[in-house]
Amino acid sequence: MEISVIGSTQAKFVKADSAYRVLGFCSSRRYDDVLSRNSRVCLGQPSIRLRRLGLRLTVRAVHTEPALPARVSTDRSAASAPSRSRPNNGVRLYVGLPLDAVSEANTVNHAKAISVGLKALKLLGVEGVELPVWWGIAEKEAMGSYNFSGYLNLAEMVQKAGLKLHVSLCFHGLKQPKIPLPEWVTRIGENEPSIYFSDRSGLLYKDCLSLAVDELPVLDGKTPIEVYQDFCQSFKSSFSQFIDSTITGISMSLGPNGELRYPSDHGQSRNLKIPGVGEFQCYDKNMLALLKQHAEASGNPFWGLSGPHDAPSYDQTPSSNGFFKDHGGSWESPYGDFFLNWYSSQLASHGARLLSLASSVFSDADVAVYGKVPLLHPWYRTRARPLELTAGFYNTERRDGYEAIAEMFARNSCKVILPGMDLSDEDLPGEALSSPQSLLRQVRAACRKLGVDVSGQNSSDRRVARGGFEQLKENLSGQEGSVDLFIYERMGAYFFSPEHFPSFTAFVRSIYQPQMDTDDIPDEEVVGAEESVPMASESGVHMQAA
């Protein structure tokens, strides 16, 4: 269950005065003759299985300062240890912890492996880690009954490792790993399914509440906004010893997978090479009531009876029906403009309510508040950009849908997290008319115009391992504006595997020492590895964004 990382004997130096350190095992006597005690960091005992594999993974944290003599600290905490200076472009580099780092029983999953991983990240010079805190775990059994014990134990581990902590407050659930909403909320949903989003066929999305109930007393007499606020207040009180010191930022969950969006893709087939356009999520009784009210106020009551009748289904392409056709589509009609304005404004209002709540709760704390905006790049090269429209962003060839979103973040003094910074246009199938680079530029331009700080995430570390690190470095270089924070997703078995970890190590070095020539950077050696190092059991580690 532990991460086993053995130092390579083939040590290289960048310069004679560089400090060089190797991760190793105390009991690996084979290496004791060639590695001095000052150059090794002992992380644990290797398993017999891994010794048989002969896995050796070198991790070098290269410093430009002269190496100092090793000193033994008398402080039981590593929090006071000096951390590596920030890279030239000012970005702070964090790594996400496993999504299921805390179990449903509120214990720390694979604690030994996480502890070793934290030491490895500290050695590399990573500034901190991101921790998802799940509503369905911390307030599992009854409204107002909070249990943060597992998360507090993790926060203490992070503090002792000398790392900072970014917390994501997750008021949503996940399918994989299975993390549901609180049990008391799902019991309410069994009797009142309209608390969830619904599509036109009646398919419910049960991993977050419909934004239409934000201010309705549907949770045992309380509104979701009131319940979220109580949760945030309890979190703030429980973690007071870490706020203003270890905890540097709070991300507020804004919808499915934590992102500001409708769950417009939840009925899609995951095996499609070309994604469909998704479906509008406006058919629960509370959303329909808001639509009806808006239509009557606009003088067109018949427009409020339903969503667009000629929109495609989840897996269909834009041209398969009338609404999203590039030329002559209903999206350009007066009705289309009416509906898309209403649909997108409901999403923006929901985001404003949650960001305002978080900003208010943490106003007296020295932490920044963040929210995530998705990068919905398929079909961006069409005029209608339907995947963005069904998700709630009224962004077309003729209309910028992100300035209003940036203004909402600016109004609440919050920062934007943008995923997909590892994606490039040429690596995606051309049939989907995708352009993640163009969309990322558009969103960043809107944020820059409104004075909103931008942070980033990668879409998948498996994609990054295939060449996205260069794209990441380009997006973090500042050419499109500065990036405040970058959260790399996500610690787990694959993250520490020989197929991935050496590339991540080289990426970190390139961020912290961009002035170095490629020839000056030593290669990682992975010798005799036949499989990745296990982070935990197969069910224990997952890579999705929280």
Side-chain angles (χ1 to χ4, degrees), residues 450-489:
L450 276 297
V452 177
D453 288 339
V454 170
S455 298
Q457 286 182 345
N458 53 304
S459 59
S460 163
D461 53 1
R462 292 182 185 270
R463 176 176 293 278
V464 166
R466 293 198 297 269
F469 282 115
E470 289 304 316
Q471 190 65 44
L472 281 180
K473 287 188 283 186
E474 180 179 329
N475 282 319
L476 298 179
S477 66
Q479 295 177 5
E480 297 291 335
S482 61
V483 174
D484 167 63
L485 166 73
F486 182 76
I487 301 174
Y488 189 90
E489 302 288 8

Side-chain angles (χ1 to χ4, degrees), residues 48-59:
I48 295 174
R49 174 172 168 266
L50 289 177
R51 285 200 299 265
R52 288 174 179 171
L53 286 176
L55 178 63
R56 293 183 289 164
L57 173 61
T58 300
V59 181

Side-chain angles (χ1 to χ4, degrees), residues 498-520:
E499 291 82 16
H500 174 268
F501 196 55
S503 298
F504 176 76
T505 302
F507 166 69
V508 174
R509 283 206 307 263
S510 69
I511 293 298
Y512 282 95
Q513 295 182 315
Q515 77 280 4
M516 292 176 62
D517 293 329
T518 304
D519 293 340
D520 292 332

Side-chain angles (χ1 to χ4, degrees), residues 288-289 291-293 295-296 300-307 335 338:
L288 288 175
L291 176 60
K292 182 175 183 292
Q293 180 183 355
E296 291 174 350
N300 296 286
F302 290 108
W303 287 357
L305 301 179
S306 178
Y335 165 75
F338 158 83

Side-chain angles (χ1 to χ4, degrees), residues 410-452:
R411 187 169 67 251
N412 291 285
S413 301
C414 296
K415 302 182 179 185
V416 168
I417 295 178
L418 296 176
M421 286 199 165
D422 55 315
L423 300 177
S424 61
D425 293 0
E426 57 267 23
D427 291 335
L428 298 171
E431 297 92 333
L433 300 176
S434 178
S435 183
Q437 291 174 268
S438 298
L439 178 55
L440 189 61
R441 280 194 296 269
Q442 181 187 353
V443 180
R444 293 181 73 171
C447 291
R448 186 166 59 248
K449 180 178 179 180
L450 276 297
V452 177

Side-chain angles (χ1 to χ4, degrees), residues 200 309-313 316-325 329-330:
R200 60 186 171 189
H309 69 280
D310 59 346
S313 60
Q316 291 182 310
T317 60
S319 60
S320 60
N321 218 317
F323 193 81
F324 293 124
K325 285 185 176 179
S330 301

